[in-house]
mmCIF file of all heavy atoms in Angstrom:
data_model
loop_
_atom_site.group_PDB
_atom_site.id
_atom_site.type_symbol
_atom_site.label_atom_id
_atom_site.label_comp_id
_atom_site.label_asym_id
_atom_site.label_seq_id
_atom_site.Cartn_x
_atom_site.Cartn_y
_atom_site.Cartn_z
ATOM 1 N N GLY A 116 84.309 -89.997 119.784
ATOM 2 C CA GLY A 116 83.493 -88.791 119.591
ATOM 3 C C GLY A 116 84.372 -87.551 119.416
ATOM 4 O O GLY A 116 85.582 -87.583 119.698
ATOM 5 N N LYS A 117 83.739 -86.449 118.968
ATOM 6 C CA LYS A 117 84.494 -85.194 118.771
ATOM 7 C C LYS A 117 84.824 -84.578 120.128
ATOM 8 O O LYS A 117 84.030 -84.668 121.062
ATOM 9 C CB LYS A 117 83.655 -84.216 117.948
ATOM 10 C CG LYS A 117 83.737 -84.471 116.467
ATOM 11 C CD LYS A 117 83.148 -83.277 115.729
ATOM 12 C CE LYS A 117 83.238 -83.530 114.233
ATOM 13 N NZ LYS A 117 82.255 -82.746 113.506
ATOM 14 N N LEU A 118 85.959 -83.894 120.204
ATOM 15 C CA LEU A 118 86.371 -83.274 121.478
ATOM 16 C C LEU A 118 86.171 -81.765 121.438
ATOM 17 O O LEU A 118 86.288 -81.145 120.373
ATOM 18 C CB LEU A 118 87.853 -83.576 121.742
ATOM 19 C CG LEU A 118 88.227 -85.052 121.902
ATOM 20 C CD1 LEU A 118 89.740 -85.206 121.981
ATOM 21 C CD2 LEU A 118 87.593 -85.639 123.166
ATOM 22 N N THR A 119 85.890 -81.183 122.610
ATOM 23 C CA THR A 119 85.775 -79.716 122.695
ATOM 24 C C THR A 119 87.177 -79.114 122.685
ATOM 25 O O THR A 119 88.173 -79.830 122.834
ATOM 26 C CB THR A 119 85.110 -79.280 124.015
ATOM 27 O OG1 THR A 119 85.947 -79.735 125.088
ATOM 28 C CG2 THR A 119 83.719 -79.842 124.169
ATOM 29 N N LYS A 120 87.245 -77.787 122.579
ATOM 30 C CA LYS A 120 88.531 -77.097 122.740
ATOM 31 C C LYS A 120 88.950 -77.225 124.215
ATOM 32 O O LYS A 120 88.085 -77.362 125.084
ATOM 33 C CB LYS A 120 88.358 -75.615 122.394
ATOM 34 C CG LYS A 120 88.184 -75.346 120.924
ATOM 35 C CD LYS A 120 88.912 -74.043 120.561
ATOM 36 C CE LYS A 120 88.973 -73.855 119.071
ATOM 37 N NZ LYS A 120 87.745 -73.253 118.533
ATOM 38 N N PRO A 121 90.254 -77.146 124.523
ATOM 39 C CA PRO A 121 90.683 -77.233 125.931
ATOM 40 C C PRO A 121 90.088 -76.122 126.793
ATOM 41 O O PRO A 121 89.990 -74.986 126.361
ATOM 42 C CB PRO A 121 92.205 -77.088 125.842
ATOM 43 C CG PRO A 121 92.554 -77.372 124.433
ATOM 44 C CD PRO A 121 91.368 -77.011 123.595
ATOM 45 N N ARG A 122 89.636 -76.509 127.998
ATOM 46 C CA ARG A 122 89.095 -75.541 128.954
ATOM 47 C C ARG A 122 89.754 -75.772 130.308
ATOM 48 O O ARG A 122 90.108 -76.891 130.644
ATOM 49 C CB ARG A 122 87.581 -75.771 129.133
ATOM 50 C CG ARG A 122 86.739 -74.970 128.187
ATOM 51 C CD ARG A 122 85.273 -75.034 128.572
ATOM 52 N NE ARG A 122 84.756 -76.397 128.663
ATOM 53 C CZ ARG A 122 83.973 -76.825 129.637
ATOM 54 N NH1 ARG A 122 83.651 -76.037 130.626
ATOM 55 N NH2 ARG A 122 83.513 -78.059 129.629
ATOM 56 N N LYS A 123 89.849 -74.716 131.100
ATOM 57 C CA LYS A 123 90.423 -74.873 132.440
ATOM 58 C C LYS A 123 89.396 -75.510 133.374
ATOM 59 O O LYS A 123 88.224 -75.142 133.354
ATOM 60 C CB LYS A 123 90.806 -73.493 133.002
ATOM 61 C CG LYS A 123 91.921 -72.833 132.233
ATOM 62 C CD LYS A 123 93.255 -73.211 132.815
ATOM 63 C CE LYS A 123 94.370 -72.395 132.159
ATOM 64 N NZ LYS A 123 95.683 -72.871 132.550
ATOM 65 N N PHE A 124 89.866 -76.441 134.173
ATOM 66 C CA PHE A 124 88.976 -77.119 135.116
ATOM 67 C C PHE A 124 89.597 -77.022 136.497
ATOM 68 O O PHE A 124 90.714 -77.482 136.710
ATOM 69 C CB PHE A 124 88.818 -78.580 134.692
ATOM 70 C CG PHE A 124 87.940 -79.390 135.586
ATOM 71 C CD1 PHE A 124 86.560 -79.416 135.401
ATOM 72 C CD2 PHE A 124 88.483 -80.143 136.627
ATOM 73 C CE1 PHE A 124 85.752 -80.168 136.227
ATOM 74 C CE2 PHE A 124 87.669 -80.897 137.465
ATOM 75 C CZ PHE A 124 86.302 -80.908 137.254
ATOM 76 N N ASN A 125 88.891 -76.378 137.422
ATOM 77 C CA ASN A 125 89.488 -76.136 138.736
ATOM 78 C C ASN A 125 89.533 -77.404 139.587
ATOM 79 O O ASN A 125 88.618 -78.207 139.573
ATOM 80 C CB ASN A 125 88.723 -75.043 139.466
ATOM 81 C CG ASN A 125 89.555 -74.520 140.607
ATOM 82 O OD1 ASN A 125 89.588 -75.111 141.675
ATOM 83 N ND2 ASN A 125 90.276 -73.449 140.370
ATOM 84 N N LEU A 126 90.646 -77.522 140.329
ATOM 85 C CA LEU A 126 90.858 -78.763 141.098
ATOM 86 C C LEU A 126 90.363 -78.681 142.544
ATOM 87 O O LEU A 126 90.447 -79.658 143.285
ATOM 88 C CB LEU A 126 92.347 -79.111 141.111
ATOM 89 C CG LEU A 126 92.993 -79.387 139.754
ATOM 90 C CD1 LEU A 126 94.462 -79.722 139.922
ATOM 91 C CD2 LEU A 126 92.300 -80.552 139.054
ATOM 92 N N MET A 127 89.850 -77.517 142.940
ATOM 93 C CA MET A 127 89.392 -77.391 144.334
ATOM 94 C C MET A 127 88.116 -78.200 144.552
ATOM 95 O O MET A 127 87.205 -78.185 143.728
ATOM 96 C CB MET A 127 89.076 -75.926 144.662
ATOM 97 C CG MET A 127 90.249 -74.986 144.640
ATOM 98 S SD MET A 127 91.385 -75.206 146.005
ATOM 99 C CE MET A 127 90.413 -74.744 147.411
#
Side-chain angles (χ1 to χ4, degrees):
K117 278 193 180 157
L118 298 173
T119 61
K120 287 217 170 83
R122 269 191 304 136
K123 294 270 188 189
F124 179 86
N125 197 278
L126 298 180
M127 295 289 294

